[in-house]
C-alpha cells in the first residue's frame, strides 16, 4: 500500500480496535469514554426533532454556514459569559464534537515535524487527530495538581512550540484537575513565550465534588487560548455536536478549514439541540448527571478498595469519567489485556502504552466508570483484580 500518504500511519482511538472482533456480548468494558446511556434524554430529544421538523423543517434541512446556528451560538455565549469567558458569537464555531476541534486546530497550525506539548498521559483521540499532521511531541509529567510546568518552561526555552494541549478538568485519562495556581502560571508562560494553548474541556460541567475552577479561556488575556467544549458527555455523543472558541482572526481561518472539511455541522442537529435547551431544564439534567457519575465513581472506589491487591494505586476523581490505575513497574497492562483480560476474562480497559505520545509507560491503565452499572462494576473489578494478583505473582517468580 505504498500509495498511502505517510500521515495515514496513525494510532487508533483506543488502540483496541484489533481486539474488537474477539469481544463477546458478555464483555465488561471499562475502556471507552462512553456516557451512561440511561441518562440520554431520548424522549425530550425526540420531541425536539418533531417540533423543529414541524415548525422549521424546510429551513433546518437546508445548507447554512460553517460557523453554525446563530441562536445556539448566542445561547452558548450567554452561558459561557456567565463564567467569564468573554466571548461573542463571532468567536464560536459549532463543530462535530470536540474531536473535530482537535483536528481543525492541528490542521490549521501544524506542519510535519512541528513541536507540540502534550500531557503524559493524554487523550488517545487527540494523539490520533494530531498524528495526521506528523508533529513531534514534548511530554509533561502529570502531577496530582496537573502537568509539570517546570518541564514546560524548559521546553519553551529550548524549542519553538506550536501549541500546548491540555485537558484541565478531570483529565482523560487520569481524572486529575489542574489547580488554579497552575492555570494562572500556564497562562503567564503562554503569554511570555507567545504560544497557543489548546484547552480541551468536555468534562467541564461534570464536577461532582468541590468548586468549579475558572477555565483557561476565562483567564486568557492575550487571545492565545483555543477552547473546545462538547455536548457529547452532557447530552449525547450521537448528536456529534461541540464548540470551538478562539480569537476572531484564528476563528476565521478555522471557519475556512471547516468549510473545506464538511461545509458545516448538521443544521438539523444544531436546531434540535437549541430547541432542547429552550424547552427543558438543562441545569436539572446536569445535576442528575453529576449525581449519577458520583454514584458510579463511588461504586468503582468501593470495588477497587475491596478487591485490588496491594501494590496498585488509583486516582480519586472529583468529576468526569475516568480513573488511573497504576501497578508495579514489572507489569505490562497491554500484554495482560491482550493475552488474558480481553480473550479470557472479557474485560477491557485502555493500557497506558496507548496514552503516552512516547509509548513509554506500560504499567498503567485508564478505567472508565461512566457506562457500566453497579453489578457490572463490582463483578468486573473483582475479576480484573484476580487477574492482576496472579500476574503480579508471576512477575515476582520470574
Ligand atoms: C478529552 C476529550 N476530548 C475530546 C473528546 C471527543 O469528544 P466529542 O464526542 O465531543 O468529539 C473526548 C471524548 O472522549 C475526550 O475525552
Amino acid at each position: 500500500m505504498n500509495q498511502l500518504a505517510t500521515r495515514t500511519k496513525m494510532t487508533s482511538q483506543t488502540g483496541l480496535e484489533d481486539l474488537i472482533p474477539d469481544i463477546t456480548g458478555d464483555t465488561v468494558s471499562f475502556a471507552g469514554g462512553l456516557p451512561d446511556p440511561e441518562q440520554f434524554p431520548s424522549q425530550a430529544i425526540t420531541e425536539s426533532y418533531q417540533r423543529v421538523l414541524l415548525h422549521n423543517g424546510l429551513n433546518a434541512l437546508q445548507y447554512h454556514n460553517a460557523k453554525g446556528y446563530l441562536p445556539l451560538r448566542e445561547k452558548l455565549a450567554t452561558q459561557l459569559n456567565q463564567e467569564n469567558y468573554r466571548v461573542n458569537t463571532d468567536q464560536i464555531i459549532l463543530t462535530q464534537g470536540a474531536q473535530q476541534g482537535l483536528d481543525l486546530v492541528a490542521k490549521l497550525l501544524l506542519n510535519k515535524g512541528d513541536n507540540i506539548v502534550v500531557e503524559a498521559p493524554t487523550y488517545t483521540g487527540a494523539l490520533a487527530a494530531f498524528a495526521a499532521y506528523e508533529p513531534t511531541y514534548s511530554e509533561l509529567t502529570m502531577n496530582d495538581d496537573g502537568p509539570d510546568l517546570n518541564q514546560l518552561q524548559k521546553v519553551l526555552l529550548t524549542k519553538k512550540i506550536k501549541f500546548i494541549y491540555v485537558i484541565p478538568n478531570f483529565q482523560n485519562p487520569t481524572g486529575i484537575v489542574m489547580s488554579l495556581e497552575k492555570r494562572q502560571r500556564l497562562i503567564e508562560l503562554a503569554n511570555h513565550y507567545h504560544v497557543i494553548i489548546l484547552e480541551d474541556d468536555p468534562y467541564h460541567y461534570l464536577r461532582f465534588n468541590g468548586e468549579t475552577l475558572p477555565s483557561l479561556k476565562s483567564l486568557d488575556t492575550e487571545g492565545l487560548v483555543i477552547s473546545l467544549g462538547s455536548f457529547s458527555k452532557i447530552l449525547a455523543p450521537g448528536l456529534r455536536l461541540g464548540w470551538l472558541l478562539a480569537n476572531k482572526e484564528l476563528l476565521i481561518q478555522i471557519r475556512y478549514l471547516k468549510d473545506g472539511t464538511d461545509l458545516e455541522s448538521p443544521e438539523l442537529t444544531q436546531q434540535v439541540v437549541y430547541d432542547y435547551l429552550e424547552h427543558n431544564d438543562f441545569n436539572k439534567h446536569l445535576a442528575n448527571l453529576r449525581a449519577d457519575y458520583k454514584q458510579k465513581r463511588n461504586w468503582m472506589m468501593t470495588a477497587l478498595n475491596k478487591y485490588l491487591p496491594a501494590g496498585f494505586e488509583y486516582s480519586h476523581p472529583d468529576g468526569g469519567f475516568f480513573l488511573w490505575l497504576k501497578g508495579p513497574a514489572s507489569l505490562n497492562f497491554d500484554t495482560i489485556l491482550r493475552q488474558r483480560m480481553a480473550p479470557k476474562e472479557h474485560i477491557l480497559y485502555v493500557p497506558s502504552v496507548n496514552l503516552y505520545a512516547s509509548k513509554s509507560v506500560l504499567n498503567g491503565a485508564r478505567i472508565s466508570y461512566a457506562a457500566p452499572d453497579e453489578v457490572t462494576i463490582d463483578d468486573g473489578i473483582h475479576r480484573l483484580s484476580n487477574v492482576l494478583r496472579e500476574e503480579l505473582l508471576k512477575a515476582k517468580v520470574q
Side-chain angles (χ1 to χ4, degrees):
M1 291 286 270
N2 56 7
Q3 63 273 54
L4 291 183
T6 51
R7 67 174 175 278
T8 50
K9 281 189 298 179
M10 295 191 292
T11 52
S12 70
Q13 269 273 2
T14 56
L16 303 182
E17 277 69 6
D18 57 322
L19 288 175
I20 302 288
D22 301 331
I23 290 168
T24 62
D26 68 345
T27 296
V28 175
S29 181
F30 299 126
L34 276 63
D36 182 357
E38 303 273 319
Q39 296 295 333
F40 296 151
S42 54
Q43 180 57 35
I45 291 176
T46 306
E47 287 163 17
S48 288
Y49 268 101
Q50 282 169 342
R51 253 191 313 266
V52 169
L53 285 169
L54 210 58
H55 300 303
N56 204 28
L58 299 186
N59 178 276
L61 292 169
Q62 186 54 283
Y63 283 122
H64 289 268
N65 66 68
K67 279 204 277 186
Y69 186 51
L70 181 60
L72 184 54
R73 282 188 286 128
E74 283 169 347
K75 212 176 220 334
L76 263 176
T78 305
Q79 166 63 35
L80 295 170
N81 289 336
Q82 280 167 14
E83 298 175 59
N84 205 27
Y85 276 72
R86 290 166 280 126
V87 285
N88 60 44
T89 52
D90 284 339
Q91 295 162 338
I92 304 177
I93 280 189
L94 296 171
T95 55
Q96 299 215 43
Q99 190 66 31
Q100 185 177 47
L102 294 169
D103 179 61
L104 291 173
V105 171
K107 202 173 188 177
L108 177 70
L109 296 175
L110 294 183
N111 290 312
K112 184 175 176 176
D114 279 350
N115 292 304
I116 60 174
V117 171
V118 295
E119 295 168 315
T122 190
Y123 167 50
T124 43
L127 295 176
F130 302 156
Y133 306 95
E134 302 178 78
T136 53
Y137 298 95
S138 296
E139 294 189 322
L140 305 180
T141 309
M142 283 302 278
N143 300 322
D144 288 347
D145 60 350
D148 186 330
L149 297 184
N150 294 331
Q151 283 175 356
L152 175 63
Q153 188 157 24
K154 283 191 196 129
V155 171
L156 293 172
L157 269 170
T158 52
K159 289 185 184 163
K160 173 122 195 58
I161 296 297
K162 275 296 180 74
F163 62 81
I164 304 161
Y165 170 65
V166 288
I167 308 161
N169 289 317
F170 319 112
Q171 198 239 13
N172 180 353
T174 58
I176 287 170
V177 174
M178 193 189 298
S179 68
L180 180 58
E181 295 69 32
K182 282 206 166 164
R183 289 172 197 236
Q184 285 161 337
R185 178 145 179 250
L186 179 56
I187 295 288
E188 279 163 24
L189 286 170
N191 286 350
H192 185 77
Y193 292 94
H194 205 73
V195 181
I196 287 174
I197 298 173
L198 176 54
E199 171 181 46
D200 188 7
D201 202 12
Y203 305 98
H204 183 86
Y205 294 104
L206 294 181
R207 178 183 272 278
F208 39 69
N209 282 336
E211 289 286 300
T212 298
L213 295 177
S215 67
L216 293 170
K217 185 78 192 150
S218 71
L219 298 171
D220 183 17
T221 48
E222 307 289 326
L224 286 168
V225 178
I226 301 176
S227 192
L228 306 177
S230 178
F231 288 105
S232 288
K233 315 293 179 174
I234 53 176
L235 210 46
L239 295 164
R240 305 308 306 130
L241 198 60
W243 58 93
L244 180 153
L245 317 174
N247 74 45
K248 214 168 158 188
E249 291 73 42
L250 284 175
L251 202 106
I252 289 170
Q253 299 297 318
I254 292 171
R255 199 178 82 202
Y256 294 151
L257 289 175
K258 182 160 165 66
D259 245 328
T261 300
D262 61 2
L263 298 179
E264 60 192 286
S265 301
E267 177 74 12
L268 177 58
T269 312
Q270 297 176 65
Q271 293 203 16
V272 163
V273 169
Y274 175 76
D275 180 277
Y276 168 85
L277 295 172
E278 279 287 283
H279 288 88
N280 294 277
D281 185 346
F282 195 50
N283 284 332
K284 189 163 160 231
H285 172 69
L286 289 177
N288 289 341
L289 286 186
R290 288 191 279 259
D292 182 53
Y293 291 126
K294 180 172 183 165
Q295 186 168 56
K296 284 175 181 255
R297 195 278 318 248
N298 289 346
W299 289 334
M300 178 70 84
M301 292 285 144
T302 306
L304 286 166
N305 227 342
K306 203 159 44 163
Y307 303 122
L308 200 65
F312 292 85
E313 293 166 24
Y314 49 90
S315 56
H316 293 61
D318 286 322
F321 287 7
F322 307 109
L323 63 81
W324 185 246
L325 180 61
K326 192 172 162 216
S330 57
L331 282 196
N332 180 336
F333 274 85
D334 190 46
T335 312
I336 297 172
L337 179 74
R338 282 165 197 286
Q339 294 181 353
R340 285 199 64 188
M341 281 305 178
K344 302 204 175 92
E345 298 294 331
H346 303 162
I347 292 176
L348 295 180
Y349 51 74
V350 183
S352 54
V353 70
N354 297 335
L355 301 165
Y356 283 79
S358 56
K359 309 250 167 245
S360 57
V361 175
L362 301 175
N363 62 327
R366 185 190 81 181
I367 311 269
S368 170
Y369 47 81
D373 60 23
E374 183 176 12
V375 174
T376 312
I377 289 178
D378 186 81
D379 170 59
I381 294 297
H382 192 181
R383 288 193 283 135
L384 176 131
S385 301
N386 286 344
V387 175
L388 291 179
R389 184 176 296 107
E390 286 167 26
E391 292 294 327
L392 199 57
L393 275 176
K394 264 201 257 167
K396 275 186 188 149
V397 171
Q398 277 161 11

